[in-house]
Amino acid sequence: MAIRIYNTLTRDKTFFEPINPGEVSMYHCGPTVYDYAHIGNMRAYVFADILRRTFAWNGFKVKQIINITDVGHPSSDEDDGEDKIETASTREHKTAEEVAKFYTDVFFGDLKKLNIITENTIFPRASEHIPEQIELVRILEEKGFAYKTSKGMYFDTAKFPNYGKLALLDIKNLREGARVEINPEKRNPTDFSLWKLSPVPGVRQQEWESPWGIGFPGWHIECSAMSMKYLGNHFDIHTGGVDHISVHHTNEIAQSEAATGEPLANYWVHSAFLTVDGQKMAKSLGNFTTVSDIENSEISPLAFRYFLLGASYRMPLNFTWSALSGSEKTLQGIYREASLLKEGGVADEEYRSKFRDVINNDFNTPQALALVFDLLRSPLSSETKLATLFDFDKVLGIDIEKGRSAFMAKDAKEEDIPIPVKNLVDEREIARTKQDFERADLIRAEIAKMGYLVDDSPEGPKVTKR
Ligand code: AMP
Ligand code: ZN
């Protein structure tokens, strides 16, 4: 099936051509596990999940890697600053390993809550791939792309002819620019570290022996080493947030391609930011929300997934709580409608084909959601509608099956309500329509005496046992 995909490398939307027919291999830059991931980070993984589900829905065999950065991520893209994990370890009075384990587990929990499929996905940890990273740096040194400084090994970007191609970087200007250099021994301002030497061995928790001395890997090398290990030198798709284009992905391409002489990935796909008041959601700005915050507000994490799907992954999306509650209401509306539909049908081919057209067009989820409502309003039979809805949900992942069951369970409970109570509820509704609120209140008290509570909701009265 033909899937069109926007490639940052070519700034163009083209038909996806797999390296191996019927297969797709993807590497997604994963979280740095030094703190809770915020819902901006989660946008990148919901998008990775949409990619996976779309390819699977189209019959592709999917290979997926999401790395866990548990060492070496400096606090700034400038290749310097505190190591995020070590800083968190001091802050939380835990070992670096404990910090990483704790936030990795929370991250896995968040993936689950957002209905992100993790079956067969490999989550390699940077700290468990130190020999592979050292080996890659060694190859780069052997091939003349790496040089040693007193701070460690650096990649010489001037030796890599296409450096900055992905980001369309203006290298000439960058090289001539008067940036204050962190390491005066660097040959070019764009050079970046491959292996950092521990300033004083024995102080850091995470450090290893290497041919260049005791130290730890630079941030970018882990993705090159681990993608190579699990997907080979050359794979189909590499993703991340747009903030990775100019430094992290640019450097991954340089290292990997310099070492192997092959292109790293054919498609570079980037998701846009989740913003707050137009600003990037970021830990450093203190404007972030987590999946747990959403749950604590009694909103389902799937409502957040639904909210994300309402915008193209390439467009910045502004997060507000009121928009999220709106998504929750709409999602519950879909579940309710699904609860009224019957099982036993077969998905409608015409609607499947419409769905294919939109989702295979660069993963157009807003149009895919529009098609859900179009389907619900269509004259198709109840059974066909439900089967088609379930089919769409294989890609959307808003868990219509579970939401529908929850509604059906609620309805079933309503059936347990005794007839005299039901009659009183109906009588009360009539009183309310006549605006006879005094009588309505009397009936409510009567119902209460019989052991039931009645609440008014936009969908009508809701009766529960006291
Ligand atoms: P990090 O844990 O900082 O390495 O980021 C994990 C992923 O989240 C990366 O793909 C980032 O590009 C992405 N990301 C970070 N902040 C945001 C944001 N506000 N909106 C969308 N994606 C983000
Ligand atoms: Zn990466």
Side-chain angles (χ1 to χ4, degrees), residues 27 29 67 223 238 248-249 252:
Y27 186 95
C29 282
N67 68 295
C223 288
H238 196 311
H248 182 54
H249 288 171
E252 267 189 56

Side-chain angles (χ1 to χ4, degrees), residues 17-168:
E17 304 258 7
I19 296 170
N20 296 317
E23 284 181 23
V24 58
S25 46
M26 300 195 274
Y27 186 95
H28 313 285
C29 282
T32 307
V33 285
Y34 71 110
D35 204 337
Y36 295 100
H38 57 65
I39 55 173
N41 301 131
M42 297 319 287
R43 185 179 194 190
Y45 309 113
V46 168
F47 173 59
D49 186 55
I50 290 292
L51 280 178
R52 173 198 176 125
R53 287 168 176 268
T54 303
F55 277 103
W57 190 79
N58 279 273
F60 279 85
K61 183 167 172 260
V62 181
K63 246 193 195 172
Q64 213 178 12
I65 310 288
I66 301 178
N67 68 295
I68 302 287
T69 302
D70 60 355
V71 62
H73 194 164
S75 53
S76 93
D77 268 358
E78 296 303 320
D79 220 8
D80 200 34
E82 293 285 310
D83 183 314
K84 290 184 174 187
I85 303 274
E86 295 263 341
T87 311
S89 150
T90 314
R91 181 185 72 214
E92 301 191 5
H93 309 291
K94 286 181 182 169
T95 64
E97 209 173 302
E98 284 164 350
V99 167
K101 185 179 180 330
F102 178 81
Y103 292 113
T104 304
D105 289 347
V106 177
F107 175 68
F108 286 147
D110 287 351
L111 294 180
K112 207 173 158 67
K113 288 172 193 165
L114 292 169
N115 205 19
I116 291 168
I117 303 177
T118 53
E119 205 185 331
N120 298 327
T121 301
I122 301 174
F123 294 93
R125 287 161 175 79
S127 67
E128 291 172 3
H129 294 78
I130 300 297
E132 288 87 345
Q133 297 176 68
I134 291 177
E135 176 57 13
L136 192 53
V137 180
R138 213 194 46 71
I139 294 172
L140 288 170
E141 187 182 26
E142 199 177 274
K143 293 198 169 180
F145 288 102
Y147 60 92
K148 194 167 179 181
T149 76
S150 58
K151 289 198 172 187
M153 296 300 289
Y154 276 82
F155 185 92
D156 189 343
T157 52
K159 295 261 168 72
F160 186 70
N162 275 330
Y163 184 79
K165 170 179 73 169
L166 177 74
L168 306 177

